[in-house]
DNA sequence: CGGTTCCTTGATAACGATCAAAGGCCGTGG
DNA sequence: CCACGGCCTTTGATCGTTATCAAGGAACCG
C-alpha cells in the first residue's frame, strides 16, 4: 500500500484493513464514484491519476483537483457523512483500493496516529483548495495556466538532457481549462503565448518547460 | 465553550484543556494571528466574526472565509505543522480562546472522538472551499454576490414582520468583494441591480432579502 | 475511411477591471 | 457644535481580458 497514512497502523490493524480492502482497476474515463452516491468507505489511489469534479444542478461542472498515486479519495465525504459531494473519474488507467467504512472506523478509534495522518491529509487538501481560490481570484488565465503546469510537473514532469522539464499532461486542454476556471480556447491561446515567449514548448499533451526560473519570474511579473 | 468539538471530551480531559486555554478579546480590525507566524495551537471563536485571509508575495490578498462563533481557527495549520498559512482578523468585537498545542495533542491521542470531530470540521471547511471554487469559476459577480448573501443570512439574518430576511453584514463591501473575487465597484453595481429587480433592499450594511424564493430562482436562471 | 472528439483560429461581444472624481459617513479635535 | 480629514461607497467613462460563436483542421478509432 505504499507509504501513506497506513504506515501509522500496527501490523494486526493493517491486516484487518488489508483483508477488508477491495482492489479495483479503472480505465481512462471510468467513474470510481458519483456525486450523490452513498459513501461506503474511502478509496486510495495506488497508481494513475483521478479527477475529482463537482457538478451543479444546472449541469455545469468544475474539476476541483487531481488525485495522484498515494492520495486518498472521499475521506472528507466519509467524515462529513452525507454521501459523496463530488465525482471521481479515472484520467488514465488507475488502480484504486476501496476500504469499507467499518474496519476503517475501528482502526481510527484504536489508533489516534491514523487520525492524525488523515487530519494532516485534510489540511493539505484545504491548503490546495485555498490556493486555487486565491489564484482564480487574483490571476489571469496565463498565470493560472502556468500555475497548473507547475503543480503538474512534480508528479508528471521529467528532466531531459537539455535541462528542461518535460511534462506529460494527464488531461485534455478541455479538462485543464475546467481546472483553472477558463475556456479551452483561452487555455490554448495562453499556451500559445507562452510558447511565443519561449517559456515552454508544446507538442500534443507534452509540454516542455524550457527554463523553470524564467517561468517563475513570469508569474511574479504578471500584471494581474 | 458551547457545543463544539469539545463535547466529545470526558470531564477530566475537558478540565485539562480548560485550565490551559487562554481567553482573549479583540476589537474590530485586530489581528488574531498572522500568516507565517509559528502555530502555537488552535483558536476557538466564542463570539463575533473572524475573517480568514491569504496574502501573496506581491501583497495582493484574498479573504477565504468568515469564521463565526463556534468555529475553530488554525486547526488545519496545526495539523499541517508549518506555521499559519493564513491570517485571522476580527471583523467585529470577538472573543477567542486559544488552546496551546500540548494539551490539545494529548487530548487527541487519548480521545479518538475528538479526532473525529476535527475530521468532520475539516470536511466541512473543504466543502465550503470547494463550493467557493465552483462558484467563482462558473458564476458571474451578481450570482456570487447572491451566494455570499445567502451564506451570510444563516448567521447574520433575521426575519422581520413582513416575512423578509434582514441581513446585517459583518463586512464592508470592499471585503465582500475580496471574498467573491471581485472589485468593490462591481459588488456595488451588482447589489444595485438586485435592488432594481426588487430582490433586495440595501441600506448601509443592512441588506433585506425581500423574497428568498425569488432570489434562489434568480440564481438558477442566471445566464452564467 | 467516415465518424467522433479534441484542438486551433478568427471575429465579435460582454463582463468586469480600471481610472477618476464626487459624495456620504464617522470619529477626532478645535 | 461644527469643521476637518480619512475611509468607504457610489457613479460614470473607458479599456482589456476572456467568453462566446463559428468554422476549419488534426488526431484517433472503429
Amino acid at each position: 500500500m505504499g507509504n501513506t497514512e497506513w504506515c501509522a497502523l500496527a501490523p494486526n490493524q493493517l491486516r484487518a484493513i488489508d483483508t477488508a480492502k477491495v482492489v479495483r482497476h479503472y480505465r481512462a474515463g471510468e467513474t470510481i464514484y458519483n456525486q450523490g452516491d452513498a459513501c461506503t468507505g474511502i478509496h486510495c489511489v495506488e497508481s494513475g491519476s483521478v479527477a475529482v469534479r463537482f457538478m451543479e444542478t444546472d449541469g455545469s461542472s468544475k474539476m476541483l483537483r487531481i488525485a495522484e498515486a498515494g492520495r486518498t479519495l472521499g475521506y472528507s465525504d466519509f467524515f462529513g457523512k452525507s454521501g459523496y459531494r463530488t465525482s471521481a473519474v479515472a484520467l488514465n488507467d488507475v488502480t484504486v483500493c476501496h476500504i469499507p467504512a467499518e474496519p476503517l472506523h475501528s482502526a481510527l478509534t484504536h489508533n489516534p496516529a491514523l487520525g492524525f495522518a488523515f487530519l494532516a491529509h485534510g489540511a493539505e487538501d484545504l491548503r490546495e483548495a485555498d490556493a486555487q481560490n486565491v489564484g482564480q481570484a487574483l490571476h489571469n488565465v496565463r498565470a493560472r495556466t502556468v500555475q497548473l503546469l507547475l503543480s503538474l510537473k512534480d508528479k508528471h514532469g521529467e528532466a531531459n538532457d537539455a535541462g528542461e522539464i518535460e511534462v506529460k499532461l494527464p488531461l485534455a486542454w478541455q479538462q485543464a481549462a475546467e481546472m483553472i476556471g477558463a475556456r479551452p480556447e483561452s487555455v490554448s491561446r495562453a499556451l500559445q503565448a507562452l510558447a511565443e515567449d519561449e517559456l515552454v514548448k508544446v507538442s500534443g499533451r507534452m509540454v516542455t518547460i524550457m527554463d523553470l526560473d524564467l517561468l517563475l519570474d513570469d508569474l511574479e511579473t504578471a500584471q494581474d
Side-chain angles (χ1 to χ4, degrees), chain A:
Chain A
M1 263 178 161
N3 58 341
T4 58
E5 30 259 297
W6 312 109
C7 302
L9 289 174
N12 64 325
Q13 293 171 327
L14 193 53
R15 210 172 314 121
I17 295 266
D18 241 33
T19 55
K21 81 175 184 189
V22 182
V23 178
R24 297 201 180 113
H25 297 275
Y26 300 88
R27 310 193 141 271
E30 287 182 342
T31 298
I32 295 159
Y33 57 79
N34 255 310
Q35 187 173 333
D37 287 356
C39 183
T40 58
I42 64 172
H43 305 260
C44 304
V45 182
E46 302 212 324
S47 71
S49 305
V50 176
V52 177
R53 34 172 54 252
F54 179 85
M55 187 186 280
E56 301 219 301
T57 45
D58 68 357
S60 55
S61 73
K62 164 125 196 338
M63 191 176 299
L64 292 167
R65 53 189 143 265
I66 298 177
E68 308 285 0
R71 285 250 140 180
T72 306
L73 289 169
Y75 71 97
S76 88
D77 311 271
F78 177 66
F79 297 119
K81 51 190 169 225
S82 54
Y84 288 116
R85 277 183 312 110
T86 54
S87 301
V89 179
L91 284 172
N92 39 40
D93 286 7
V94 159
T95 307
V96 171
C97 81
H98 177 260
I99 296 169
E102 189 22 55
L104 175 62
H105 198 275
S106 152
L108 276 166
T109 354
H110 293 93
N111 191 332
L114 183 60
F116 279 119
F118 274 105
L119 283 165
H121 196 118
E124 175 63 13
D125 274 356
L126 185 60
R127 204 188 58 71
E128 282 173 15
D130 284 348
Q132 267 213 305
N133 256 319
V134 172
Q136 205 132 309
L138 264 35
H139 301 308
N140 60 19
V141 170
R142 174 179 173 133
R144 280 182 268 155
T145 305
V146 171
Q147 283 186 326
L148 179 63
L149 268 181
L150 292 174
S151 75
L152 287 171
K153 84 162 174 7
D154 296 327
K155 288 281 182 178
H156 299 275
E158 209 170 325
N160 69 8
D161 306 336
E164 304 168 329
I165 306 172
E166 296 182 341
V167 187
K168 178 87 169 295
L169 300 183
L171 27 68
W173 276 192
Q174 240 172 195
Q175 297 167 313
E178 238 184 288
M179 271 213 79
I180 65 173
R183 299 279 125 174
E185 297 97 315
S186 301
V187 175
S188 173
R189 288 188 239 260
L191 277 165
Q192 205 173 287
L194 289 167
E196 265 170 28
D197 294 352
E198 309 215 316
L199 293 169
V200 303
K201 282 182 285 195
V202 183
S203 154
R205 283 195 189 174
M206 177 72 84
V207 178
T208 308
I209 299 175
M210 299 175 73
D211 187 326
L212 187 55
D213 293 329
L214 280 178
L215 202 57
L216 291 169
D217 281 356
D218 195 70
L219 260 190
E220 301 285 326
T221 321
Q223 50 284 46
D224 55 303

